[in-house]
Amino acid sequence: QQDPDVLLLITNAHEDVVLFTLPEVKNGEHWILEIDTNQEDAPVHIQYQFGDQFEVTGRSLLLFSLKLIDEE
């Protein structure tokens, strides 16, 4: 696996859940969840499509990498 060219870091410093829509990126295929600090045992490397909505829990951090179209 190559190092990702594009990372998306989402933070929520508020105590409540915030709804976030994953953005579309030119030459991108989908987002891959790398880290979710709210779920210690959460599976990583889950794929999410552009436009998917994600509930970002209070005081948490999410890290996504972008799968580019031309990657194998």
Side-chain angles (χ1 to χ4, degrees):
Q1 180 178 352
Q2 293 180 332
D3 291 334
D5 293 324
V6 178
L7 295 174
L8 175 64
L9 179 65
I10 304 168
T11 60
N12 181 6
H14 196 277
E15 61 189 31
D16 291 332
V17 172
V18 174
L19 193 60
F20 184 87
T21 302
L22 293 171
E24 184 172 344
V25 178
K26 185 178 180 179
N27 297 326
E29 188 173 316
H30 57 260
W31 290 104
I32 301 168
L33 179 62
E34 303 289 349
I35 297 172
D36 181 350
T37 61
N38 187 53
Q39 300 180 26
E40 291 181 27
D41 297 330
V44 292
H45 306 295
I46 304 281
Q47 296 178 9
Y48 292 90
Q49 301 304 311
F50 299 146
D52 281 356
Q53 293 190 326
F54 213 94
E55 288 187 355
V56 185
T57 55
R59 297 185 174 88
S60 67
L61 175 144
L62 300 170
L63 179 67
F64 290 87
S65 63
L66 181 67
K67 168 82 166 74
L68 297 174
I69 290 173
D70 58 76
E71 289 182 357
E72 294 183 17

